[in-house]
Amino acid sequence: MWRSTAEKPQPQGAVWFSEHFRLEGNKYFQASDYERAAESYTKAMKLNKDRALQAVLYRNRAACFLKKEEYAKAASDASRAIDINSSDIKALYRRSQALEKLGKLDQAFKDAQKCATMEPRNKNFQETLRRLGADIQEKLRIQFSTDMRVQKMFEILLDENSEKEKRERAANNLIVLGREEAGAERIFQNNGVSLLLQLIETKNTELVLAAVRTLSGMCTGHKARATAILHYLGIDSICMWMSVDNEEISLAVCNLLQTITDCLLGQGKEEHHGKEESLVLDTKKDLKMITMRLLDMLVSKNVSGQGRDRALNLLNKNIPRKDPKDHDNSRTTFVIDNGLKKILKVVGQIPEMPGCLPLTENTQLTASILLNKLYDDLRCDPERDNYRVICEEYINRGAFLDTLHAIQMVSGVLQGPFDLGNKLLGMKGVMEMMVALCGSEREIDQLVAVEALIHASTKLSRATFIISNGITLLKEIYKKTKNEKIKIRALVGLCKLGSAGGTDYGLRQFAEGSTEKLARQCRKWLCNTSIDARTRKWAVEGLAYLTLDADVKDDFVEDEQALQAMFELTSDKTILYSVASALVNCTNSYDTKELVPELVQLAKFSKQHVPEEHPKDKKDFVVKRVKRLLKAGVVSALACMVKADSAILTDQSKELIARVFLALCDDPKDRGTIVAQGGGKALIPLAVEGTDVGKIKASHALAKIAAISNPDIAFPGERVYEVVRPLVSLLNTERDGLQNYEALLGLTNFSGRSDKLRMKIVKEGALPDIENYMFENHDQLRQAATECMCNLVVSKEVQERFVADGNDRLKLVVLLCGEDDEKVQKAAAGALAMLTAAQKKLCSKMTEVTTQWLEILQRLCLHDNMEVQHRGLVIAFNLISASKELAKKLVESELLEILTFVGKQEDDPKKQHVINAARDCLTKCMDYGLIKPLSRA
């Protein structure tokens, strides 16, 4: 039996579906819905393996990617089409366009040259060739000029006799050049890394900073270059530079290492070096080497406190997974196996003891946060058990050798992973050791033990033990000790135990029936500048608990000296959470359960206790406290807190800060003050990263500001574009009505500013949500959505969506013009006036979408509100101008009488624009010969 060598024919169904998806893709492309067009072409590819059709589909999808500004994907798809058909002129031209955008001018020129050879009379190809040729010449000129500039800069910098001003200018120019791709490549190719290393070796702070920042710019977004620079400099040298006791240099080197790490992990700015330049680099070995050196830095006595903090921050940022859906947590398990004990050693340090590693006020908290992130990143019980066993072994070994350091380590872990801290507290003898140290005669023992008890009391299951065993000791310590450091900690421990134990046992008695007395003592310590900052921060910790009491929070906000002292202490990032907690309490921005009146009555009837709102927690008192906080400069303090290192500023702290900001933004009169003090800028990162609740609260605060502020002042420069996404996120139907409404107001304000902002709103996918709210039964939501759409239709892309077939967008706007709500009418009529002026197709389409169109138009032209009437007359003029047929249809209706009535009115400055619009309509009809000139008496 003979077998045919021809390809097996495809099932007819697959061919039909493939053609269906191709046509569907074409339809979406024409409607400017490039995302869905690309999806349709992809589906068509999977169903039809015919090579000729595959080339067409790749070519079409390349066009979608060009529109979406995904140039690397566009070039890739165009190349696939060319591989199938080398003379595909459309694919060649699209690849040329994509390569040009990617900066590959020489390759783009070759493709454009091929296109011009195939179609020499095509003016578009000739123009592209001319432009690319000029760009290439300019690039070569700049390249030659850049080489000379680089050489001159290094000569000035390495010449010790150069003037200081010249050196500084050369250093700054070098940094700027390193951030540009062309400049970075010229420095790299001209032995620049070696020369930069010479600058670092001078140990001159300004030169070192210039060199390190230039290297950071050169590494950004370029994996191959970053890898080469890492190997040339050596990770040991980089870590040594980061270890110096100079904050600026340490931070700059940390940024360099972060940039290199981002490249090795494939994060940050994308890089595309073309098909022929693609090089597979195995980065795992380099990443492992960096991680090991950072872990070594944690326990080295030669590393400064600043350097240790940088190492911890880098580990915090790069080791745990960013996305829980990513199943690879090998970096975390590697750190636990090779460095957990080193991290535990850091949290177990006692600054007051001799031989302590160099630390800053942030070091141990940052280490605790790293412990927490590592624990949270584990995927299964065996991994968590391994983590716990390592900690238990470390504690047992420490308890045998040095009880004090073992308890300090437990205290550090208690500030990290919650579950693990509970388990460690359950170890035999741990709680007993804490209580025993409280009774010690040595002050350092008492200091460490009290801090450990404070952190342990957060674990509710252990608070009962501490209340029954440690409360008496804490009271005794507070009364007897003369050491303010211990005294304040003991007081905070009592405050915290009352909260954690769910009872105020021993607390109110101790304070003689008044938490206000405790609060006054905390404020006194807080304002006492003779006490060290590390001790004063514990006063803030105490106030974070005590301000749950309405009387305390009111007194605290009235004490301007205490507020200022707390704000000044925010430079110590370890108290961010405590400061934010106190402010949340003072502004009542925590969540409260609404009491159902029926259930309250039922509870009273059954003689059960019903908690009543404290008089000072009512709206009037809260507003007064907010005003006092704003006057005291709380916004500047919050903005400073947001700038903290990402490791210290936890998601929970971000949420608390967002809550406070939202409370501060409640009164529109205060929003200008908030913007002036940097609140708008501070809210943007809070709306992007953190807990879901925190992001929603920050986005809502941004919406309140955006709704009434001038965007150019509130969010200057490019910052305004970062605000769009948080506002769009509030349009989600899961958000409440107020959030929807204020987000729409903010977007309306933005969409009236510039076409670029309108395009950003469209790109973020806001249109479908805005259209949905135009259908809303809620009058204010419908009005806000319609006003937003009125501004958006100025955009050509939005207009094209109205023109596209198969949608009811135009019908919706026409029907909204007939609404009884005057504000909705005004916005809808404005949108329709702009649409019909910009797109003649929509003029004829308007007469087809609903039979009520003429009646609605007549109502607009007779409206009592002159603004609405004017918009109606403009719509009428647009329809008349679109075609003689449409004009004839309007003339044959009652609209002619309306136009005549309005046009014959006497000139009146107040409504002249309305009269003129009607006269323009009549004049156009006369030009068509549909009516005769008006006769005047």
Side-chain angles (χ1 to χ4, degrees):
M1 189 178 207
W2 294 96
R3 182 185 297 172
S4 171
T5 57
E7 287 186 12
K8 184 179 179 181
Q10 286 187 272
Q12 287 301 308
V15 174
W16 185 89
F17 276 114
S18 176
E19 181 63 12
H20 166 75
F21 285 125
R22 184 184 71 80
L23 294 173
E24 183 182 68
N26 292 347
K27 181 180 172 185
Y28 284 135
F29 189 88
Q30 289 166 6
S32 302
D33 193 343
Y34 306 119
E35 183 69 39
R36 294 173 76 177
E39 289 174 5
S40 296
Y41 292 139
T42 303
K43 290 175 184 176
M45 286 177 197
K46 293 176 181 177
L47 292 167
N48 196 323
K49 301 302 179 185
D50 178 75
R51 286 177 63 76
L53 181 60
Q54 288 272 314
V56 172
L57 292 169
Y58 277 123
R59 183 179 73 200
N60 289 357
R61 196 170 70 174
C64 296
F65 288 136
L66 277 173
K67 291 288 187 181
K68 291 170 64 184
E69 299 180 7
E70 296 179 17
Y71 301 117
K73 291 181 180 179
S76 175
D77 271 7
S79 294
R80 291 181 180 182
I82 294 164
D83 289 341
I84 297 170
N85 180 5
S86 60
S87 59
D88 188 333
I89 196 165
K90 288 185 178 179
L92 280 166
Y93 188 62
R94 283 168 192 167
R95 187 169 73 175
S96 175
Q97 290 175 296
L99 289 169
E100 181 182 0
K101 293 292 185 181
L102 291 170
K104 312 249 173 242
L105 300 183
D106 51 344
Q107 295 173 46
F109 185 85
K110 288 176 186 176
D111 282 344
Q113 206 168 34
K114 289 177 185 175
C115 293
T117 303
M118 293 180 195
E119 291 186 14
R121 294 185 180 180
N122 189 311
K123 291 182 180 179
N124 198 17
F125 295 160
Q126 295 297 335
E127 173 59 26
T128 302
L129 267 181
R130 186 199 62 74
R131 186 183 70 253
L132 286 171
D135 288 348
I136 289 170
Q137 290 300 316
E138 178 64 13
K139 185 178 178 180
L140 290 171
R141 185 189 68 76
I142 291 171
Q143 194 175 70
F144 178 75
S145 172
T146 301
D147 288 346
M148 296 295 292
R149 285 167 60 202
V150 169
Q151 186 179 344
K152 186 69 176 172
M153 285 176 208
F154 277 117
E155 284 177 4
I156 294 170
L157 290 169
L158 292 170
D159 183 1
E160 294 181 2
N161 298 319
S162 295
E163 295 175 15
K164 185 181 178 183
E165 190 177 331
K166 275 189 177 181
R167 267 189 157 189
E168 287 177 357
R169 196 184 311 123
N172 290 331
N173 289 340
L174 194 64
I175 294 168
V176 172
L177 201 60
R179 290 172 183 164
E180 300 168 0
E181 173 55 32
E185 189 60 25
R186 299 322 302 161
I187 295 172
F188 186 76
Q189 295 292 346
N190 286 283
N191 197 35
V193 180
S194 174
L195 294 171
L196 289 168
L197 185 57
Q198 288 183 44
L199 291 179
I200 293 172
E201 288 170 351
T202 63
K203 296 185 179 179
N204 178 304
T205 300
E206 296 303 319
L207 295 183
V208 171
L209 287 171
V212 172
R213 288 166 181 166
T214 303
L215 287 165
S216 292
M218 292 170 65
C219 291
T220 302
H222 202 299
K223 185 185 289 185
R225 197 157 56 221
T227 305
I229 288 172
L230 172 66
H231 291 169
Y232 188 89
L233 299 177
I235 185 61
D236 290 334
S237 295
I238 294 172
C239 289
M240 180 183 69
W241 301 331
M242 194 164 68
S243 301
V244 299
D245 194 14
N246 181 307
E247 187 173 0
E248 273 193 296
I249 292 176
S250 181
L251 180 59
V253 178
C254 178
N255 290 336
L256 168 62
L257 195 50
Q258 181 60 60
T259 302
I260 292 172
T261 305
D262 284 343
C263 289
L264 297 181
L265 289 170
Q267 297 170 357
K269 188 173 74 177
E270 288 188 27
E271 54 172 330
H272 304 287
H273 304 294
K275 191 173 178 181
E276 74 285 356
E277 294 179 34
S278 61
L279 178 65
V280 178
L281 295 169
D282 183 10
T283 60
K284 289 182 180 177
K285 187 177 179 181
D286 288 330
L287 287 168
K288 192 175 285 189
M289 176 178 65
I290 291 170
T291 303
M292 285 302 297
R293 293 298 178 272
L294 291 175
L295 290 170
D296 290 342
M297 283 181 69
L298 300 184
V299 292
S300 171
K301 289 190 176 182
N302 297 324
V303 175
S304 68
Q306 297 283 353
R308 209 174 315 280
D309 283 1
R310 306 300 176 209
L312 285 165
N313 283 334
L314 287 167
L315 290 166
N316 262 306
K317 187 170 183 179
N318 300 301
I319 299 304
R321 292 169 293 167
K322 301 288 187 296
D323 184 359
K325 294 177 183 177
D326 178 9
H327 295 298
D328 182 14
N329 68 339
S330 57
R331 291 200 301 275
T332 293
T333 54
F334 176 81
V335 168
I336 289 169
D337 291 337
N338 295 277
L340 181 55
K341 290 181 180 179
K342 294 175 181 178
I343 303 168
L344 292 173
K345 182 173 181 178
V346 174
V347 298
Q349 294 295 299
I350 303 171
E352 293 79 5
M353 294 283 282
C356 177
L357 294 170
L359 306 172
T360 70
E361 66 273 9
N362 298 332
T363 305
Q364 290 180 290
L365 180 58
T366 310
S368 294
I369 291 168
L370 177 58
L371 289 173
N372 188 51
K373 286 189 174 183
L374 293 173
Y375 191 77
D376 285 347
D377 199 43
L378 298 176
R379 296 177 53 224
C380 58
D381 287 341
E383 289 179 351
R384 284 183 277 273
D385 288 341
N386 176 52
Y387 191 115
R388 176 181 53 77
V389 167
I390 294 172
C391 291
E392 287 177 352
E393 288 176 354
Y394 196 87
I395 291 172
N396 287 328
R397 179 174 171 274
F400 179 74
L401 297 173
D402 186 346
T403 302
L404 197 60
H405 281 88
I407 294 302
Q408 178 75 344
M409 192 278 279
V410 173
S411 183
V413 175
L414 286 168
Q415 296 174 74
F418 182 92
D419 294 337
L420 180 64
N422 245 337
K423 289 173 183 174
L424 296 181
L425 285 173
M427 287 176 63
K428 185 178 179 181
V430 170
M431 296 295 290
E432 289 78 7
M433 277 193 288
M434 287 186 190
V435 173
L437 286 172
C438 280
S440 170
E441 294 298 321
R442 288 204 313 168
E443 288 188 342
I444 189 64
D445 291 348
Q446 292 179 7
L447 193 71
V448 170
V450 170
E451 282 193 21
L453 283 171
I454 291 169
H455 297 311
S457 63
T458 306
K459 318 301 177 188
L460 298 180
S461 61
R462 304 296 163 196
T464 307
F465 176 91
I466 300 168
I467 288 170
S468 59
N469 292 275
I471 195 92
T472 306
L473 284 171
L474 286 174
K475 286 195 286 185
E476 286 298 313
I477 289 171
Y478 179 82
K479 289 177 178 177
K480 290 181 178 179
T481 186
K482 293 181 181 179
N483 187 321
E484 294 285 346
K485 294 181 180 181
I486 298 172
K487 201 178 191 72
I488 192 169
R489 285 165 172 79
L491 178 57
V492 172
L494 289 165
C495 295
K496 200 166 183 180
L497 285 172
S499 171
T503 175
D504 58 359
Y505 169 74
L507 182 59
R508 286 189 174 274
Q509 285 184 341
F510 177 67
E512 295 177 5
S514 173
T515 52
E516 294 163 63
K517 181 179 178 181
L518 294 176
R520 280 196 297 273
Q521 183 60 57
C522 282
R523 296 206 305 273
K524 182 180 175 183
W525 277 320
L526 179 59
C527 298
N528 187 350
T529 53
S530 64
I531 301 174
D532 66 281
R534 189 163 178 262
T535 301
R536 288 166 67 205
K537 76 175 185 180
W538 284 97
V540 180
E541 181 98 8
L543 287 167
Y545 289 94
L546 292 168
T547 47
L548 288 166
D549 184 292
D551 290 315
V552 169
K553 69 179 81 171
D554 220 53
D555 292 343
F556 178 43
V557 172
E558 285 183 354
D559 188 341
E560 191 172 341
Q561 186 184 2
L563 283 177
Q564 292 299 332
M566 184 175 76
F567 294 160
E568 287 169 11
L569 282 175
T570 54
S571 58
D572 179 352
K573 306 307 179 186
T574 59
I575 62 166
L576 293 184
Y577 188 85
S578 300
V579 173
S581 297
L583 291 173
V584 165
N585 293 338
C586 291
T587 56
N588 284 38
S589 47
Y590 41 73
D591 291 328
T592 54
K593 291 183 180 179
E594 288 189 23
L595 296 175
V596 181
E598 291 81 3
L599 293 178
V600 171
Q601 292 299 322
L602 185 63
K604 287 181 178 178
F605 180 75
S606 59
K607 296 183 179 180
Q608 292 183 15
H609 172 68
V610 179
E612 293 184 6
E613 185 180 38
H614 193 286
K616 289 186 178 179
D617 276 332
K618 290 184 177 177
K619 181 75 174 175
D620 291 347
F621 280 92
V622 175
V623 169
K624 287 178 183 176
R625 287 200 292 270
V626 166
K627 300 290 183 185
R628 288 193 201 112
L629 286 169
L630 284 167
K631 188 178 178 181
V634 68
V635 176
S636 299
L638 291 171
C640 178
M641 290 162 72
V642 173
K643 293 176 185 176
D645 292 334
S646 58
I648 293 287
L649 187 63
T650 62
D651 288 349
Q652 289 72 28
S653 297
K654 290 177 187 175
E655 180 184 321
L656 295 177
I657 295 170
R659 286 177 180 275
V660 177
F661 265 124
L662 183 56
L664 297 175
C665 290
D666 192 55
D667 187 345
K669 294 177 184 176
D670 295 328
R671 294 173 198 171
T673 303
I674 292 166
V675 168
Q677 295 180 7
K681 180 182 177 181
L683 276 165
I684 296 173
L686 297 177
V688 176
E689 295 180 349
T691 65
D692 289 339
V693 172
K695 288 189 285 188
I696 292 168
K697 299 284 184 187
S699 298
H700 193 186
L702 281 172
K704 285 179 178 290
I705 292 171
I708 64 167
S709 305
N710 181 338
D712 298 333
I713 296 172
F715 311 106
E718 296 295 307
R719 196 174 298 149
V720 68
Y721 301 102
E722 298 176 48
V723 182
V724 173
R725 183 172 294 177
L727 297 190
V728 173
S729 72
L730 292 179
L731 299 182
N732 191 308
T733 51
E734 293 181 3
R735 306 285 82 82
D736 64 45
L738 182 61
Q739 291 167 345
N740 299 152
Y741 176 67
E742 293 189 313
L744 286 166
L745 292 182
L747 291 170
T748 301
N749 194 6
F750 280 15
S751 58
R753 304 303 296 182
S754 70
D755 198 53
K756 192 175 177 183
L757 260 175
R758 286 188 283 274
M759 289 301 297
K760 176 66 175 173
I761 293 169
V762 172
K763 197 170 182 180
E764 290 295 337
L767 271 183
D769 290 322
I770 295 169
E771 288 167 356
N772 287 339
Y773 287 114
M774 290 168 73
F775 283 104
E776 265 287 338
N777 291 326
H778 194 287
D779 290 342
Q780 286 181 299
L781 278 175
R782 190 167 68 252
Q783 174 199 328
T786 309
E787 288 175 349
C788 189
M789 184 60 75
C790 180
N791 286 348
L792 287 173
V793 295
V794 177
S795 167
K796 190 175 180 181
E797 185 170 334
V798 177
Q799 293 168 12
E800 288 172 356
R801 296 191 182 209
F802 276 85
V803 172
D805 295 330
N807 70 81
D808 291 328
R809 292 186 176 95
L810 186 64
K811 180 179 179 179
L812 172 62
V813 174
V814 174
L815 292 174
L816 286 173
C817 288
E819 284 279 316
D820 293 331
D821 187 314
E822 193 174 286
K823 291 180 178 178
V824 172
Q825 260 191 317
K826 183 179 175 181
L832 193 56
M834 283 186 279
L835 285 167
T836 50
Q839 299 287 341
K840 284 190 176 183
K841 289 180 182 178
L842 292 177
C843 294
S844 56
K845 189 175 180 180
M846 175 183 163
T847 65
E848 300 165 2
V849 292
T850 174
T851 56
Q852 302 172 46
W853 71 272
L854 188 55
E855 180 189 341
I856 290 170
L857 182 58
Q858 290 170 354
R859 282 179 60 193
L860 290 176
C861 293
L862 283 172
H863 207 284
D864 294 335
N865 184 316
M866 280 192 294
E867 289 302 310
V868 178
Q869 185 183 20
H870 179 252
R871 294 178 185 202
L873 291 166
V874 170
I875 296 166
F877 177 78
N878 293 338
L879 295 180
I880 292 167
S881 302
S883 71
K884 187 175 180 180
E885 289 75 17
L886 272 177
K888 185 179 179 182
K889 192 179 290 188
L890 294 179
V891 167
E892 290 172 352
S893 72
E894 294 177 5
L895 188 66
L896 180 59
E897 293 180 33
I898 297 169
L899 294 173
T900 304
F901 169 75
V902 177
K904 286 177 70 175
Q905 292 180 26
E906 295 291 330
D907 288 352
D908 183 347
K910 290 182 180 179
K911 56 180 180 179
Q912 195 61 45
H913 61 299
V914 175
I915 298 168
N916 288 342
R919 289 174 181 174
D920 289 341
C921 292
L922 293 168
T923 302
K924 193 69 179 176
C925 289
M926 282 189 285
D927 292 342
Y928 285 137
L930 297 174
I931 59 172
K932 294 179 181 180
L934 291 169
S935 58
R936 292 192 176 272

